[in-house]
Amino acid sequence: MGVKICCIGAGYVGGPTMAVIALKCPDIIVHVVDISKPRIDAWNSDELPIYEPGLDEVVKACRGKNLFFSTDVERLVAESDIVFVSVNTPTKTSGLGAGKAADLTYWESAARMIADVSTSDKIVVEKSTVPVKTAEAIEKILTHNKKGINFEILSNPEFLAEGTAMEDLNQPDRVLIGGRETPGGQKAVAALKAVYAHWVPEENILTTNLWSAELSKLAANAFLAQRISSINAMSALCEATGADVSEVAYAVGKDSRIGPKFLNASVGFGGSCFQKDILNLVYICECNGLPEVANYWKQVVQINDYQKDRFVRRVVSSMFNTVSGKKVAVLGFAFKKDTGDTRETPAIDVCHGLLQDKALLNIYDPQVTEDQIKRDLSLNKFDWDHPHHLQPTNPTTLLNQVSVVKDAYEATKGAHGVCVITEWDEFKKLDYQKIYDGMQKPAFIFDGRNVLNGSELRKIGFIVYSIGKPLDPWVKDLPAAIVRMCLLWFPDRVGDTSFGVIGGSNLMCEYGITRPAIDEQIIVSIE
Ligand SMILES: NC(=O)c1ccc[n+]([C@@H]2O[C@H](COP(=O)([O-])OP(=O)(O)OC[C@H]3O[C@@H](n4cnc5c(N)ncnc54)[C@H](O)[C@@H]3O)[C@@H](O)[C@H]2O)c1
Ligand SMILES: O=c1ccn([C@@H]2O[C@H](COP(=O)(O)OP(=O)(O)O[C@H]3O[C@H](CO)[C@@H](O)[C@H](O)[C@H]3O)[C@@H](O)[C@H]2O)c(=O)[nH]1
């Protein structure tokens, strides 16, 4: 038998990554360990803890042969040659760097445990996404008890995307391994390279120094998210000008220097990585005395927040500036299709926005459970990224306004509006005539993913809003009416471009409304 691998953290990264290593390297024994017993039990059952196309088959093929899931963390770490660490690295919620910096509590406790239980030399691999220079701190922890054991630390960030994890792992664009430029460091790099070389072509295995590898992970996510924020920023301009964001994205992406990928305008990016990693990058820039660089990347997250907020405001303003007591169907809750993962999904912010305007939500997602949805709507920002059993919940009465239902037809029945938040394929194939017939009129559809055929829906009778597409006359005329009314209310502020009106529930000029209160929630500035 070859080397023994142990991976600490049986999550979205640890589980699939180790399953593929086990599949491709029958000579290697792979143990995946976790502090969460329910998670390990699920990995050992027929109902895996995560949904990822193609994962079941690989786990079933290897489990019990050279792939094992266990809570016997210390023993299995002690017995291994290579230890991957793939634990949570959430955003700090308090103290220095709160709201930005990475919280390395779980990483540090894993490193201390490795140092304490080890009786033989080990290669310790950073699989979690960590701030650049983390390896230096980890090295100090690993060597603190001076037992004469040699630890070599490597950075081997993971680039898989959820929903396509198995393809990404089978045929990675690249595998990145960073190590110390010492003979010991280079030997460790070669050992890890030999594992991936079982199936990844040599030219796709990149080796760098430790800091380049750590930073490349944050940089790659920042670049990807930046493309989405760029096209989303354009989507707002498209709506203001009559351009179509899909046409713009196609035309821009045809430039081979730019390329077509990651230019789909959306209600906003979600997922456990982009926001967290960019905030982490921002913090690192600030700590290194680079506020201009920090502000540049911060804007990617700010545009994303703006996009989610803009979507909610469109929904509310289109539906006569109030959704109070109205049923709104939310189709999709996962942060993207083909995953049951809801971490940092834009659905959470959209639902919160609508709930605060007193909407009654009927939520349906093919892969997300009612418990998960209600939990997500009750969690404070950033608390989702802790091991499940350590997440603090925050009971909220807003949940009284939420129903989670079993299919899209049930969700839309009797609804005033439908919001498509996740691009699940099944939403493209629904019988929209049937949905229209069952809804209140006028019936609204807000397509946050541009997956529906707007002109077909308009023929049925829907009022349609699609991100970054020419606006339906109904949607378009509303803000204009509000501006006109505002000019009457505040004639002294004409020409003051900093001035705007809220989209609060009492505002709809052509429906006999009262003068609105002004607050920071500006939706229309008066030009
Ligand atoms: N999800 C992704 O697509 C993705 C992709 C690339 C990188 N990453 C990074 O990989 C890391 C893990 O992400 P994830 O999505 O797999 O998280 P996850 O929450 O799904 O899994 C982490 C697991 O680690 C376990 N854990 C925490 N502390 C532990 C400890 N001391 N000992 C044993 N187990 C412990 C938790 O119980 C949990 O099951 C993060 O740093 C993340 O940023 C994630
Ligand atoms: O054109 C696009 C592409 C994506 N998204 C959204 O962006 C988010 C993230 O999507 P994606 O990147 O496909 O999924 P993740 O699983 O979050 O993967 C990202 O984050 C991982 C964790 O770090 C990295 O490993 C991956 O390389 C990186 O793609 C999702 O909400 C998508 O809907 C868009 O809105 N428009």
Side-chain angles (χ1 to χ4, degrees), residues 275-297:
Q275 173 173 284
K276 177 180 75 143
D277 293 352
I278 294 173
L279 293 173
N280 183 355
L281 184 67
V282 166
Y283 184 68
I284 295 167
C285 293
E286 286 170 355
C287 292
N288 281 284
L290 302 168
E292 290 82 1
V293 185
N295 285 337
Y296 175 76
W297 289 113

mmCIF file of all heavy atoms in Angstrom, residues 275-297:
data_model
loop_
_atom_site.group_PDB
_atom_site.id
_atom_site.type_symbol
_atom_site.label_atom_id
_atom_site.label_comp_id
_atom_site.label_asym_id
_atom_site.label_seq_id
_atom_site.Cartn_x
_atom_site.Cartn_y
_atom_site.Cartn_z
ATOM 1 N N GLN A 275 -18.004 36.001 -1.308
ATOM 2 C CA GLN A 275 -18.040 37.154 -0.400
ATOM 3 C C GLN A 275 -16.995 37.017 0.708
ATOM 4 O O GLN A 275 -16.236 37.950 0.988
ATOM 5 C CB GLN A 275 -19.432 37.301 0.197
ATOM 6 C CG GLN A 275 -19.477 38.373 1.270
ATOM 7 C CD GLN A 275 -20.875 38.653 1.740
ATOM 8 O OE1 GLN A 275 -21.652 39.300 1.067
ATOM 9 N NE2 GLN A 275 -21.198 38.147 2.914
ATOM 10 N N LYS A 276 -16.963 35.837 1.283
ATOM 11 C CA LYS A 276 -16.035 35.597 2.394
ATOM 12 C C LYS A 276 -14.594 35.833 1.959
ATOM 13 O O LYS A 276 -13.813 36.505 2.646
ATOM 14 C CB LYS A 276 -16.218 34.147 2.862
ATOM 15 C CG LYS A 276 -15.287 33.716 3.939
ATOM 16 C CD LYS A 276 -15.544 32.283 4.337
ATOM 17 C CE LYS A 276 -15.027 31.325 3.296
ATOM 18 N NZ LYS A 276 -14.451 30.102 3.842
ATOM 19 N N ASP A 277 -14.250 35.290 0.799
ATOM 20 C CA ASP A 277 -12.853 35.374 0.373
ATOM 21 C C ASP A 277 -12.481 36.802 -0.027
ATOM 22 O O ASP A 277 -11.351 37.245 0.200
ATOM 23 C CB ASP A 277 -12.584 34.400 -0.785
ATOM 24 C CG ASP A 277 -12.688 32.944 -0.326
ATOM 25 O OD1 ASP A 277 -12.815 32.716 0.890
ATOM 26 O OD2 ASP A 277 -12.663 32.042 -1.176
ATOM 27 N N ILE A 278 -13.423 37.519 -0.620
ATOM 28 C CA ILE A 278 -13.098 38.907 -0.995
ATOM 29 C C ILE A 278 -12.960 39.771 0.260
ATOM 30 O O ILE A 278 -12.046 40.586 0.368
ATOM 31 C CB ILE A 278 -14.154 39.484 -1.958
ATOM 32 C CG1 ILE A 278 -14.092 38.715 -3.278
ATOM 33 C CG2 ILE A 278 -13.906 40.970 -2.216
ATOM 34 C CD1 ILE A 278 -15.180 39.070 -4.256
ATOM 35 N N LEU A 279 -13.845 39.574 1.226
ATOM 36 C CA LEU A 279 -13.725 40.348 2.471
ATOM 37 C C LEU A 279 -12.385 40.063 3.152
ATOM 38 O O LEU A 279 -11.719 40.969 3.666
ATOM 39 C CB LEU A 279 -14.893 40.032 3.410
ATOM 40 C CG LEU A 279 -16.267 40.508 2.920
ATOM 41 C CD1 LEU A 279 -17.378 40.007 3.842
ATOM 42 C CD2 LEU A 279 -16.326 42.035 2.818
ATOM 43 N N ASN A 280 -12.005 38.824 3.093
ATOM 44 C CA ASN A 280 -10.715 38.409 3.642
ATOM 45 C C ASN A 280 -9.580 39.123 2.893
ATOM 46 O O ASN A 280 -8.653 39.674 3.505
ATOM 47 C CB ASN A 280 -10.677 36.879 3.451
ATOM 48 C CG ASN A 280 -9.457 36.204 4.012
ATOM 49 O OD1 ASN A 280 -8.537 36.858 4.482
ATOM 50 N ND2 ASN A 280 -9.455 34.887 3.942
ATOM 51 N N LEU A 281 -9.689 39.168 1.571
ATOM 52 C CA LEU A 281 -8.682 39.853 0.750
ATOM 53 C C LEU A 281 -8.625 41.352 1.098
ATOM 54 O O LEU A 281 -7.546 41.935 1.225
ATOM 55 C CB LEU A 281 -9.049 39.664 -0.728
ATOM 56 C CG LEU A 281 -8.106 40.208 -1.783
ATOM 57 C CD1 LEU A 281 -6.789 39.446 -1.756
ATOM 58 C CD2 LEU A 281 -8.738 40.076 -3.175
ATOM 59 N N VAL A 282 -9.806 41.928 1.269
ATOM 60 C CA VAL A 282 -9.893 43.350 1.621
ATOM 61 C C VAL A 282 -9.153 43.592 2.932
ATOM 62 O O VAL A 282 -8.355 44.529 3.062
ATOM 63 C CB VAL A 282 -11.385 43.775 1.739
ATOM 64 C CG1 VAL A 282 -11.527 45.120 2.433
ATOM 65 C CG2 VAL A 282 -12.047 43.787 0.362
ATOM 66 N N TYR A 283 -9.387 42.712 3.883
ATOM 67 C CA TYR A 283 -8.764 42.877 5.195
ATOM 68 C C TYR A 283 -7.237 42.755 5.096
ATOM 69 O O TYR A 283 -6.494 43.537 5.695
ATOM 70 C CB TYR A 283 -9.328 41.826 6.162
ATOM 71 C CG TYR A 283 -8.809 41.973 7.560
ATOM 72 C CD1 TYR A 283 -9.161 43.072 8.345
ATOM 73 C CD2 TYR A 283 -7.953 41.023 8.110
ATOM 74 C CE1 TYR A 283 -8.673 43.217 9.630
ATOM 75 C CE2 TYR A 283 -7.464 41.168 9.397
ATOM 76 C CZ TYR A 283 -7.826 42.265 10.155
ATOM 77 O OH TYR A 283 -7.350 42.412 11.425
ATOM 78 N N ILE A 284 -6.804 41.789 4.301
ATOM 79 C CA ILE A 284 -5.351 41.598 4.146
ATOM 80 C C ILE A 284 -4.728 42.852 3.513
ATOM 81 O O ILE A 284 -3.653 43.303 3.918
ATOM 82 C CB ILE A 284 -5.061 40.353 3.283
ATOM 83 C CG1 ILE A 284 -5.540 39.092 4.001
ATOM 84 C CG2 ILE A 284 -3.574 40.229 2.976
ATOM 85 C CD1 ILE A 284 -5.586 37.860 3.116
ATOM 86 N N CYS A 285 -5.422 43.411 2.518
ATOM 87 C CA CYS A 285 -4.908 44.640 1.881
ATOM 88 C C CYS A 285 -4.813 45.760 2.913
ATOM 89 O O CYS A 285 -3.811 46.486 2.976
ATOM 90 C CB CYS A 285 -5.819 45.077 0.734
ATOM 91 S SG CYS A 285 -5.825 43.941 -0.643
ATOM 92 N N GLU A 286 -5.872 45.890 3.706
ATOM 93 C CA GLU A 286 -5.861 46.955 4.724
ATOM 94 C C GLU A 286 -4.693 46.751 5.698
ATOM 95 O O GLU A 286 -3.984 47.701 6.042
ATOM 96 C CB GLU A 286 -7.190 46.974 5.488
ATOM 97 C CG GLU A 286 -8.325 47.560 4.655
ATOM 98 C CD GLU A 286 -9.697 47.369 5.307
ATOM 99 O OE1 GLU A 286 -9.786 46.705 6.360
ATOM 100 O OE2 GLU A 286 -10.675 47.883 4.726
ATOM 101 N N CYS A 287 -4.516 45.497 6.118
ATOM 102 C CA CYS A 287 -3.435 45.214 7.079
ATOM 103 C C CYS A 287 -2.063 45.474 6.482
ATOM 104 O O CYS A 287 -1.096 45.692 7.208
ATOM 105 C CB CYS A 287 -3.496 43.767 7.549
ATOM 106 S SG CYS A 287 -4.926 43.456 8.547
ATOM 107 N N ASN A 288 -1.976 45.387 5.151
ATOM 108 C CA ASN A 288 -0.695 45.638 4.497
ATOM 109 C C ASN A 288 -0.559 47.079 4.022
ATOM 110 O O ASN A 288 0.273 47.388 3.170
ATOM 111 C CB ASN A 288 -0.503 44.658 3.332
ATOM 112 C CG ASN A 288 -0.058 43.290 3.823
ATOM 113 O OD1 ASN A 288 1.096 43.097 4.184
ATOM 114 N ND2 ASN A 288 -0.992 42.368 3.914
ATOM 115 N N GLY A 289 -1.416 47.964 4.552
ATOM 116 C CA GLY A 289 -1.317 49.390 4.240
ATOM 117 C C GLY A 289 -1.688 49.713 2.805
ATOM 118 O O GLY A 289 -1.098 50.608 2.192
ATOM 119 N N LEU A 290 -2.656 48.980 2.240
ATOM 120 C CA LEU A 290 -3.057 49.208 0.851
ATOM 121 C C LEU A 290 -4.556 49.534 0.767
ATOM 122 O O LEU A 290 -5.345 48.753 0.200
ATOM 123 C CB LEU A 290 -2.756 47.950 0.013
ATOM 124 C CG LEU A 290 -1.289 47.497 0.003
ATOM 125 C CD1 LEU A 290 -1.157 46.106 -0.600
ATOM 126 C CD2 LEU A 290 -0.437 48.501 -0.770
ATOM 127 N N PRO A 291 -4.977 50.689 1.330
ATOM 128 C CA PRO A 291 -6.418 50.972 1.371
ATOM 129 C C PRO A 291 -7.041 51.111 -0.021
ATOM 130 O O PRO A 291 -8.192 50.737 -0.214
ATOM 131 C CB PRO A 291 -6.492 52.298 2.154
ATOM 132 C CG PRO A 291 -5.128 52.894 2.080
ATOM 133 C CD PRO A 291 -4.174 51.743 1.957
ATOM 134 N N GLU A 292 -6.278 51.618 -1.004
ATOM 135 C CA GLU A 292 -6.844 51.768 -2.359
ATOM 136 C C GLU A 292 -7.164 50.400 -2.953
ATOM 137 O O GLU A 292 -8.201 50.213 -3.586
ATOM 138 C CB GLU A 292 -5.868 52.518 -3.292
ATOM 139 C CG GLU A 292 -5.685 53.991 -2.966
ATOM 140 C CD GLU A 292 -4.696 54.260 -1.841
ATOM 141 O OE1 GLU A 292 -4.124 53.291 -1.300
ATOM 142 O OE2 GLU A 292 -4.505 55.433 -1.488
ATOM 143 N N VAL A 293 -6.252 49.463 -2.728
ATOM 144 C CA VAL A 293 -6.477 48.110 -3.261
ATOM 145 C C VAL A 293 -7.671 47.480 -2.528
ATOM 146 O O VAL A 293 -8.541 46.842 -3.139
ATOM 147 C CB VAL A 293 -5.209 47.237 -3.105
ATOM 148 C CG1 VAL A 293 -5.409 45.883 -3.772
ATOM 149 C CG2 VAL A 293 -4.004 47.942 -3.704
ATOM 150 N N ALA A 294 -7.713 47.696 -1.222
ATOM 151 C CA ALA A 294 -8.828 47.156 -0.430
ATOM 152 C C ALA A 294 -10.159 47.693 -0.956
ATOM 153 O O ALA A 294 -11.117 46.942 -1.161
ATOM 154 C CB ALA A 294 -8.647 47.532 1.039
ATOM 155 N N ASN A 295 -10.216 49.001 -1.216
ATOM 156 C CA ASN A 295 -11.477 49.600 -1.661
ATOM 157 C C ASN A 295 -11.881 49.100 -3.037
ATOM 158 O O ASN A 295 -13.069 48.944 -3.329
ATOM 159 C CB ASN A 295 -11.363 51.135 -1.700
ATOM 160 C CG ASN A 295 -11.407 51.682 -0.297
ATOM 161 O OD1 ASN A 295 -11.922 51.024 0.610
ATOM 162 N ND2 ASN A 295 -10.850 52.866 -0.100
ATOM 163 N N TYR A 296 -10.883 48.861 -3.882
ATOM 164 C CA TYR A 296 -11.166 48.333 -5.225
ATOM 165 C C TYR A 296 -11.930 47.011 -5.116
ATOM 166 O O TYR A 296 -12.974 46.824 -5.731
ATOM 167 C CB TYR A 296 -9.834 48.134 -5.965
ATOM 168 C CG TYR A 296 -9.978 47.478 -7.304
ATOM 169 C CD1 TYR A 296 -10.462 48.191 -8.400
ATOM 170 C CD2 TYR A 296 -9.639 46.140 -7.487
ATOM 171 C CE1 TYR A 296 -10.599 47.580 -9.635
ATOM 172 C CE2 TYR A 296 -9.762 45.539 -8.716
ATOM 173 C CZ TYR A 296 -10.246 46.251 -9.785
ATOM 174 O OH TYR A 296 -10.389 45.650 -11.000
ATOM 175 N N TRP A 297 -11.450 46.088 -4.282
ATOM 176 C CA TRP A 297 -12.100 44.776 -4.170
ATOM 177 C C TRP A 297 -13.394 44.844 -3.364
ATOM 178 O O TRP A 297 -14.341 44.093 -3.629
ATOM 179 C CB TRP A 297 -11.117 43.750 -3.588
ATOM 180 C CG TRP A 297 -10.048 43.420 -4.580
ATOM 181 C CD1 TRP A 297 -8.725 43.719 -4.492
ATOM 182 C CD2 TRP A 297 -10.224 42.773 -5.857
ATOM 183 N NE1 TRP A 297 -8.066 43.296 -5.621
ATOM 184 C CE2 TRP A 297 -8.956 42.717 -6.472
ATOM 185 C CE3 TRP A 297 -11.320 42.241 -6.534
ATOM 186 C CZ2 TRP A 297 -8.752 42.144 -7.732
ATOM 187 C CZ3 TRP A 297 -11.123 41.679 -7.789
ATOM 188 C CH2 TRP A 297 -9.863 41.633 -8.382
#
